[in-house]
Amino acid sequence: MTMLLEMRSITKEFPGVKALDRVNLQVKAGEIHAICGENGAGKSTLMKVLSGVYPAGSYDGEIHYEGSVAEFRGIRDSEHRGIIIIHQELALVPQLSIAENIFLGNETARGGVIDWHEANHRTEALLKKVGLKESPMTIVDSLGVGKQQLVEIAKALSKDVKLLILDEPTAALQENDSQKLLDLMLDLKAQGVTCIIISHKLNEVRYVADTVTVIRDGMSVSTLDAKQGLSEDDIVRDMVGREMSDRYPERDRRAGDILMEVQDWNVWHPEHAERQVIKNISMSVRAGEVVGIAGLMGSGRTELAMSIFGKSYGRRIGGTVKLHGQPTDVSRVDRAIAAGLAYVTEDRKSLGLILDENIRFNTTLANLQGVSSNGVLDGNEETTVAEKYREALRIRTPSVFQKVGNLSGGNQQKVVLAKWLNTAPEVLILDEPTRGIDVGAKYEIYAIINQLSAEGKGVIMISSEMPELLGMCDRIYVMNEGAFVGELAADEASQERIMSLIVDEKG
Amino acid sequence: MTTDTNDMSPHGGATEAKGLKSYLASHMREFGLLFALIAIMVFFQIVTAGTLMRPVNITNLFLQNSYIIIMALGMLIVIVSGHIDLSVGSVMGFVGALAAVLIVNHGVPIIVTVAICLAVGASIGAAQGYFVAIWRIPSFIVTLAGMLVFRGLSLWLLEGQSVGPFPKSFQVLSTGFVPEIFPAVIGDNLAAFFGARNFNVLSFALGLIAAGAVIRMGLKKRARNALYGIADEPPGLFWARTAIIAAAIIFLMFKLSTFRGLPNVVVTMGVLILIYAFITEKTVIGRRVYALGGNEKAAKLSGIKTERLTFLAFVNMGVLAALAGLIFAARLNTATPKAGFALELDVIAAVFIGGASMSGGSGKIIGAVVGAFIMGVMNNGMSIMGIGIDYQQVIKGLVLLAAVFFDVYNKNKQA
């Protein structure tokens, strides 16, 4: 079989980070090629290089496509050559109809006047190909996520696609919608379309893929032939086969009494009322314990945390939260804070900080009572408090009057932590506390977490980085599709075990 | 979007003190605004051959702009919280009409009428705030509807007629002056000394006290900043700025004293400005409003009851619009169906000229007040010059655009 695409020794650097390091990828014409790897391994970066989002010249290495060197300067270039990428976040305009979406930017127009008759007619043919029976005039918003995904594929087909790239296409889909999508991929393969699929769901990879390339830490680790009875364990081993070094500060592991318990926690989606996001979860945290929640993106970790923290996510929330054995009302954020909970968000820029304001403003925001009397703020006290945390957390800035929007990611994260430490919480839920910050700052955040545990606080740590959970936690809950699928003590946990717990559940 | 440097704190942004120039650059907005107001006043003082600063005209200037400034206080809070209120002109007109109908047609006692009117203002604000805060209907839509509804209701209430005049005891709300508490002999002597026809000693004394307070507060703040090692404005600049403000207060009060004294409405306005400056800069609720406008989701996740706060911002706006309506009616001595027409635009313009950001989260009370005075002095000055209403509108529009452009330009340059 001839190669449709060859990416040779692709290296892509961002300031301070090597996202891709001499990655090789060979895709045969007419096959389905899966790319596997952990979050942050470099899969999406590689696809952005391929599709021209990072234009030729901004990376090292060569792309050979259809037998010649290709230098894509932008997404239009690659689309022109038949390379179409469908992102995890769908790029449809919800208020427009299917036909309008499919021909968006590529309208069936003469002299600027759109021929709707032709557009609808051609859309109908495309929809038939992807197995949709909807009218072309249907508004996209009224379709479910699964069908929207199919509309995206129909849109790709309208552009004479040769190489279709699907980035986690089933992440948001229900079981039967996923199956439909995978079957469609096999269908397209039969029609001669080459596909690249990025997926965490290894059972799906095994179902559709001919070849699997595993990427880890920005390097291509292995290329596996999936037709020769490839097992999921083989893929998992290559995905997580990283050396563990002492990237985590030592800590006295001494868990005390149970601080917080969550029992029979159920949450439904805020908009799609029939979708249950959190299914019957029970968990506990002891004083001085660091408890991890492992799971892939979209497994419901953030939704769990936010629904506990003052019902900040979801509706029809059911279950009990107990603190020190007593059922506690945490149904509003202010009550949750008063009860001793703190939630450090995964999205510090849009949910954690007020970027236009200074460090002092942000530090005291969740506990203004502490720096005021009778509702009148004491500016000096505020400064004192902010200075205290600036020193304790080593926030690197000349003064607490610096705008937080101008700080580095690590320092911003420390300001969010400062805000929550200032509420004197007993239980802290840290959602991806080290996302997007550099290695040095990560170590400092770990040290802060250890300090909190030494003070007898309970810490719940949500992370996509498994080594981090293994290095930091006393106990790890494994979460998948809104439910806990396992619980591992520190000494029995390993990346392979966590991965296989997730994968088994899916299989 | 227009954003000022907005430190919100009295301490100001901690710029490394690299002297006058860098301090001015980082506080361009505040100083720019003050200089603009002074420049505009000097300009009109010259082109109107001194008419602008005549005591009678200064009195008029305050009377004409008091209700705009009072509404700008509420509007600033609404805009900082990330919303807008287009209905204030209509609400003001409606409340004025209500007062006229109650007092003139039904003989309701004034004190009762004032209470009813303020309560009605609060209810109107509550109704609009309910739809904005609880149902999350954009405030632009809700208050646009309110603007039409209350314009219509004023017409209905007044049956298309003007209703008036009001009894004297109601008019003092706007056109009254502070009484003289000092012996008449002091006033007569001072009048003779300054060559004026009369002299209100209390007004002038209040002016001296206010100027003293400005200097005292400035010094206190500097002392505290020094204590905390916070970089402050260079001493020369501090004294120049404080001296200008103190001198301006004394000068204005002197002028007013030689006419009929300090108008009641200026006292009301001054007290309200102080209260609202205090609320926005020094209190927990004020701080929360800025957090709400700066990032609603983050504010909510920090335990701030964002819905309630939004609701209260509109209730507050309603009360202030009602108060403005009463003052306006008292000044005109009659309620007309046209009262307050298009006034919301002047109020909103004042707040934006004063440096508030359209996207919420920043803006200061003092900025809105200075913004209102800039508009007010221009209106007044151009009228004295006999410039037609057509050109006046054009010029005011361009000033608004220029002020906001200045903001955006500065922000881009800093970034």
Side-chain angles (χ1 to χ4, degrees):
Chain A
M1 235 190 249
T2 55
M3 290 294 168
L4 178 69
L5 170 76
E6 251 187 283
M7 298 180 82
R8 289 185 196 157
S9 194
I10 303 289
T11 299
K12 170 78 189 167
E13 281 180 74
F14 295 108
V17 202
K18 214 173 213 180
L20 295 175
D21 189 2
R22 287 161 290 151
V23 171
N24 294 309
L25 177 70
Q26 299 186 319
V27 181
K28 298 187 196 88
E31 73 165 347
I32 296 180
H33 193 114
I35 299 179
C36 296
E38 286 188 289
N39 295 330
K43 298 163 297 187
S44 296
T45 311
L46 185 66
M47 290 305 109
K48 282 181 180 162
V49 167
L50 173 57
S51 59
V53 173
Y54 301 132
S58 72
Y59 55 87
D60 293 327
E62 282 183 349
I63 300 177
H64 291 253
Y65 180 66
E66 291 182 310
S68 63
V69 175
E71 291 187 339
F72 301 129
R73 286 184 306 273
I75 204 148
R76 285 223 146 218
D77 267 10
S78 61
E79 282 199 356
H80 193 66
R81 299 284 301 272
I83 300 176
I84 309 252
I85 183 160
I86 297 179
H87 292 281
Q88 207 174 337
E89 307 84 32
L90 298 178
L92 298 173
V93 183
Q95 294 88 347
L96 297 184
S97 74
I98 296 180
E100 283 169 321
N101 265 292
I102 284 184
F103 290 103
L104 195 62
N106 191 20
E107 286 82 1
T108 53
R110 257 175 290 274
V113 181
I114 295 179
D115 182 350
W116 287 116
H117 188 72
E118 190 194 337
N120 288 331
H121 190 68
R122 277 171 59 188
T123 302
E124 226 161 275
L126 290 166
L127 290 183
K128 200 178 262 173
K129 268 194 186 172
V130 299
L132 272 181
K133 292 183 191 71
E134 266 70 15
S135 146
M137 262 109 89
T138 313
I139 300 299
V140 162
D141 206 24
S142 67
L143 302 173
V145 192
K147 286 183 175 170
Q148 290 190 16
Q149 190 78 257
L150 295 177
V151 172
E152 280 264 23
I153 294 178
K155 184 175 176 180
L157 293 178
S158 79
K159 294 174 185 165
D160 293 324
V161 62
K162 284 181 194 142
L163 176 60
L164 181 64
I165 304 164
L166 297 157
D167 190 355
E168 306 231 22
T170 60
L173 299 191
Q174 307 278 3
E175 196 76 29
N176 50 349
D177 282 339
S178 298
Q179 191 58 45
K180 259 187 223 158
L181 185 81
L182 297 173
D183 288 334
L184 175 62
M185 285 181 72
L186 294 172
D187 227 35
L188 292 174
K189 179 176 134 182
Q191 295 171 32
V193 177
T194 311
C195 279
I196 295 178
I197 177 173
I198 296 176
S199 181
H200 282 298
K201 302 186 178 175
L202 300 184
N203 58 324
E204 296 179 1
V205 167
R206 280 186 59 202
Y207 182 72
V208 294
D210 300 300
T211 315
V212 179
T213 295
V214 179
I215 296 183
R216 186 209 310 152
D217 294 341
M219 288 184 272
S220 42
V221 182
S222 58
T223 299
L224 309 164
D225 191 341
K227 277 168 283 189
Q228 318 287 328
L230 181 68
S231 81
E232 285 171 19
D233 284 348
D234 296 333
I235 307 177
V236 169
R237 194 180 317 114
D238 283 340
M239 275 169 69
V240 297
R242 167 177 12 192
E243 291 294 326
M244 288 269 288
S245 47
D246 56 345
R247 285 188 292 157
Y248 306 97
E250 271 305 309
R251 168 165 66 91
D252 259 359
R253 302 195 177 204
R254 255 180 323 198
D257 294 334
I258 290 183
L259 257 186
M260 183 177 87
E261 281 171 279
V262 177
Q263 287 167 345
D264 308 318
W265 202 252
N266 285 294
V267 179
W268 274 263
H269 194 277
E271 280 129 40
H272 307 292
E274 76 291 348
R275 227 171 98 194
Q276 189 171 1
V277 186
I278 300 298
K279 296 161 194 162
N280 224 27
I281 280 181
S282 295
M283 63 184 291
S284 66
V285 194
R286 291 174 178 278
E289 194 181 29
V290 180
V291 176
I293 300 180
L296 302 171
M297 277 182 209
S299 59
R301 303 166 307 181
T302 298
E303 290 78 1
L304 171 65
M306 288 182 72
S307 62
I308 293 172
F309 188 67
K311 292 192 176 171
S312 304
Y313 172 88
R315 59 164 69 176
R316 284 168 63 202
I317 296 168
T320 347
V321 173
K322 287 185 183 172
L323 281 152
H324 298 292
Q326 299 298 315
T328 308
D329 180 9
V330 290
S331 62
R332 266 183 6 210
V333 175
D334 54 322
R335 289 181 186 149
I337 293 173
L341 284 186
Y343 170 66
V344 177
T345 168
E346 61 170 340
D347 188 350
R348 59 179 166 265
K349 285 196 170 158
S350 65
L351 300 180
L353 295 169
I354 296 173
L355 294 171
D356 272 342
E357 299 291 352
N358 60 32
I359 295 172
R360 188 180 78 159
F361 184 109
N362 278 281
T363 303
T364 57
L365 187 60
N367 184 14
L368 288 173
Q369 294 87 344
V371 289
S372 63
S373 54
N374 302 321
V376 180
L377 291 166
D378 180 344
N380 301 344
E381 182 62 25
E382 271 195 273
T383 309
T384 312
V385 167
E387 283 291 347
K388 183 179 93 184
Y389 285 107
R390 181 170 77 97
E391 276 164 39
L393 306 186
R394 290 197 243 159
I395 301 170
R396 283 183 195 82
T397 155
S399 94
V400 294
F401 295 100
Q402 203 73 245
K403 236 169 132 180
V404 296
N406 297 338
L407 301 177
S408 71
N411 281 323
Q412 286 184 349
Q413 188 66 15
K414 287 176 184 173
V415 175
V416 182
L417 272 170
K419 175 172 88 173
W420 289 111
L421 295 181
N422 188 37
T423 66
E426 289 190 89
V427 177
L428 284 104
I429 308 175
L430 310 178
D431 196 349
E432 302 277 8
T434 64
R435 173 180 286 173
I437 64 181
D438 62 70
V439 182
K442 276 186 184 180
Y443 190 88
E444 289 182 352
I445 301 269
Y446 298 144
I448 295 167
I449 294 172
N450 284 351
Q451 175 65 31
L452 293 172
S453 122
E455 288 166 12
K457 299 188 191 302
V459 178
I460 298 171
M461 185 169 171
I462 297 171
S463 177
S464 295
E465 289 187 41
M466 268 188 258
E468 174 175 285
L469 289 178
L470 294 169
M472 292 297 300
C473 297
D474 300 306
R475 206 150 46 87
I476 297 173
Y477 291 105
V478 182
M479 190 166 186
N480 192 29
E481 290 177 1
F484 280 174
V485 294
E487 180 184 343
L488 300 167
D491 49 6
E492 53 175 353
S494 67
Q495 297 195 47
E496 284 83 357
R497 287 205 58 178
I498 293 173
M499 257 299 176
S500 61
L501 273 172
I502 293 172
V503 170
D504 278 351
E505 194 59 24
K506 287 182 189 283
Chain B
M1 292 289 96
T2 75
T3 313
D4 66 2
T5 48
N6 186 48
D7 314 303
M8 244 204 53
S9 68
H11 302 309
T15 41
E16 288 118 73
K18 279 181 204 144
L20 192 64
K21 216 173 162 185
S22 76
Y23 188 86
L24 269 180
S26 63
H27 291 72
M28 196 66 138
R29 196 58 178 93
E30 292 143 58
F31 286 102
L33 206 58
L34 195 59
F35 289 143
L37 178 59
I38 293 170
I40 288 170
M41 286 173 84
V42 169
F43 173 78
F44 281 111
Q45 174 71 358
I46 293 167
V47 296
T48 60
T51 312
L52 185 81
M53 293 293 185
R54 278 174 50 196
V56 58
N57 193 52
I58 291 176
T59 306
N60 267 335
L61 202 58
F62 278 118
L63 293 181
Q64 277 168 8
N65 290 293
S66 55
Y67 44 90
I68 293 183
I69 289 172
I70 286 171
M71 288 197 288
L73 302 176
M75 188 65 78
L76 177 98
I77 290 179
V78 168
I79 286 175
V80 165
S81 74
H83 295 283
I84 193 112
D85 192 339
L86 299 174
S87 71
V88 294
S90 295
V91 172
M92 182 188 131
F94 173 71
V95 170
L98 182 64
V101 169
L102 288 176
I103 295 173
V104 178
N105 295 1
H106 296 280
V108 178
I110 284 159
I111 188 86
V112 177
T113 305
V114 169
I116 291 175
C117 285
L118 294 180
V120 165
S123 315
I124 292 172
Q128 300 193 113
Y130 168 76
F131 288 110
V132 175
I134 310 299
W135 289 98
R136 308 203 138 262
I137 301 174
S139 51
F140 190 95
I141 311 274
V142 172
T143 59
L144 182 63
M147 175 176 155
L148 296 169
V149 167
F150 295 107
R151 177 64 48 210
L153 286 179
S154 323
L155 271 170
W156 167 77
L157 209 54
L158 295 171
E159 293 164 338
Q161 309 282 309
S162 291
V163 176
F166 289 102
K168 257 271 172 293
S169 53
F170 182 73
Q171 289 176 41
V172 294
L173 205 60
S174 177
T175 51
F177 294 85
V178 295
E180 182 62 280
I181 56 167
F182 291 95
V185 59
I186 303 179
D188 292 343
N189 280 334
L190 283 170
F193 180 75
F194 290 116
R197 236 173 294 158
N198 57 344
F199 197 89
N200 184 306
V201 186
L202 176 63
S203 302
F204 190 62
L206 285 173
L208 288 176
I209 292 169
V214 166
I215 296 171
R216 207 179 111 83
M217 272 162 56
L219 282 174
K220 227 171 116 185
K221 189 179 110 187
R222 274 185 84 75
R224 211 174 44 208
N225 283 359
L227 195 65
Y228 280 80
I230 295 160
D232 210 340
E233 62 188 314
L237 192 62
F238 166 75
W239 282 109
R241 188 175 55 89
T242 311
I244 289 173
I245 293 172
I249 292 172
I250 294 173
F251 174 75
L252 286 176
M253 286 304 174
F254 173 75
K255 289 282 188 180
L256 290 176
S257 304
T258 58
F259 183 53
R260 295 174 61 187
L262 191 59
N264 286 336
V265 68
V266 174
V267 178
T268 314
M269 190 178 86
V271 169
L272 285 174
I273 291 172
L274 287 178
I275 290 175
Y276 279 89
F278 179 78
I279 290 175
T280 53
E281 291 185 15
K282 298 274 194 182
T283 67
V284 170
I285 194 164
R287 174 65 58 87
R288 287 181 171 161
V289 171
Y290 283 89
L292 162 68
N295 184 344
E296 186 180 349
K297 288 179 188 164
K300 203 166 178 165
L301 275 176
S302 299
I304 294 170
K305 296 175 196 115
T306 49
E307 285 96 358
R308 194 161 87 178
L309 216 48
T310 306
F311 177 77
L312 288 177
F314 278 93
V315 173
N316 176 64
M317 182 75 253
V319 174
L320 289 177
L323 179 60
L326 291 172
I327 290 171
F328 188 78
R331 185 173 121 73
L332 285 192
N333 199 15
T334 171
T336 72
K338 276 275 187 191
F341 183 74
L343 214 61
E344 58 279 343
L345 300 179
D346 281 0
V347 175
I348 292 167
V351 173
F352 286 134
I353 289 176
S357 156
M358 186 85 200
S359 53
S362 75
K364 285 184 176 183
I365 286 290
I366 193 68
V369 171
V370 173
F373 270 117
I374 287 178
M375 294 287 276
V377 170
M378 284 187 1
N379 276 336
N380 182 277
M382 289 192 291
S383 298
I384 297 171
M385 284 170 70
I387 295 176
I389 193 80
D390 41 3
Y391 289 113
Q392 285 196 26
Q393 299 274 1
V394 173
I395 292 168
K396 273 158 63 184
L398 291 177
V399 166
L400 171 64
L401 184 64
V404 176
F405 173 77
F406 183 70
D407 262 1
V408 174
Y409 178 78
N410 262 322
K411 206 179 178 196
N412 288 348
K413 216 169 63 177
Q414 275 173 20

